[in-house]
Amino acid sequence: MSTPAKPARSGGSSAIGWALTIGLNVVAPILTYNTLTEDHGWSEFSALLLSGAWPVLDTAIVAAWRRKIDEFAMVTLVFLVITAVVSLVGAHTARALLIKDSAVTGLFGLLCLGTLLAPRPLMFYFGRKFATDGTPASTAWWNGMWEFEGFRSTMRTMTLVWGVAYVTEALVRIALAYALPTKTMVTLSPVMIYGVLALLGVWTGWFGKRRAAEGARRQAEAEAAAAAGAATA
């Protein structure tokens, strides 16, 4: 079976989708949290809880617009809920807060690993968000790719790497929180978070292109072999 061609992206639909995703899942929650905690004296838990309303709104808009639930927004919401729950546990010292931040990324890594037991791993849904424009044609194309073993293997490998990377990153940051001064970790912690994210993003792009090229090569070889067999028949 040959791999179906990817539909052309809809520029307008893609732009609107990304504006909603970034605005309601990233920008709005951060601005809401910072404004409530720094300017209005809200607790971390209360601010995080209210910040979680934005991904819910994004999910509602996408559901009404495209008649489907956006898994990316759902994962963002789950991540915010985990953060809110973790913020309530234990002491509230500076070191404890640093450890809690590490626990959140560690739990995300465990979530990635846990979805390897599900019918489709987490990176399948993340990939669909980034590789398509959300239109029915592109979504159907992405969903149809699951029929191919190479594609399934790629999604599972990506999910495994992301999960192991974030669990490892969390454990290292927890160890450093005890070994280094708090002032140092306040600077180092976000560097590690976004550094690991950047490395994973670069690796994911490289690995995805490599696996796609391998798949195209195997398909071309199979088609050439089939043509040669037909010519000699």
Side-chain angles (χ1 to χ4, degrees):
M1 181 186 298
S2 61
T3 304
K6 180 180 179 179
R9 295 177 69 93
S10 171
S13 178
S14 181
I16 294 173
W18 274 109
L20 284 173
T21 296
I22 300 300
L24 296 179
N25 288 279
V26 180
V27 177
I30 291 175
L31 289 178
T32 300
Y33 175 81
N34 290 338
T35 300
L36 293 177
T37 55
E38 296 176 7
D39 298 337
H40 298 284
W42 283 44
S43 68
E44 289 184 339
F45 175 75
S46 298
L48 284 169
L49 191 63
L50 188 60
S51 298
W54 294 109
V56 173
L57 177 60
D58 181 40
T59 300
I61 291 174
V62 172
W65 178 22
R66 292 173 176 161
R67 299 295 189 271
K68 69 182 184 68
I69 298 297
D70 188 345
E71 293 85 357
F72 185 87
M74 292 300 295
V75 170
T76 302
L77 178 59
V78 168
F79 191 77
L80 288 171
V81 171
I82 290 174
T83 304
V85 171
V86 170
S87 70
L88 290 177
V89 179
H92 289 77
T93 64
R95 175 169 286 139
L97 290 175
L98 289 170
I99 293 172
K100 289 174 183 179
D101 286 342
S102 303
V104 170
T105 55
L107 287 171
F108 176 74
L110 292 176
L111 175 64
C112 289
L113 297 177
T115 61
L116 291 172
L117 302 176
R120 297 183 184 185
L122 188 59
M123 284 303 120
F124 171 83
Y125 301 105
F126 273 34
R128 187 170 66 188
K129 185 69 178 180
F130 286 94
T132 74
D133 56 13
T135 57
S138 62
T139 299
W141 165 78
W142 184 264
N143 292 342
M145 291 294 290
W146 189 254
E147 299 178 12
F148 300 92
E149 190 280 330
F151 181 82
R152 296 194 298 270
S153 174
T154 298
M155 293 298 104
R156 291 192 176 109
T157 300
M158 288 180 176
T159 303
L160 175 64
V161 170
W162 276 69
V164 170
Y166 268 114
V167 169
T168 302
E169 181 267 352
L171 293 175
V172 170
R173 274 203 296 140
I174 290 173
L176 290 177
Y178 284 103
L180 298 176
T182 300
K183 183 177 181 180
T184 301
M185 279 305 298
V186 167
T187 301
L188 182 60
S189 185
V191 171
M192 290 182 65
I193 293 173
Y194 292 109
V196 169
L197 178 60
L199 289 174
L200 285 172
V202 171
W203 175 84
T204 299
W206 169 81
F207 185 70
K209 290 179 180 179
R210 174 188 170 189
R211 294 300 295 266
E214 291 175 354
R217 177 179 54 78
R218 287 194 297 267
Q219 180 177 327
E221 291 173 351
E223 291 175 351
T232 57

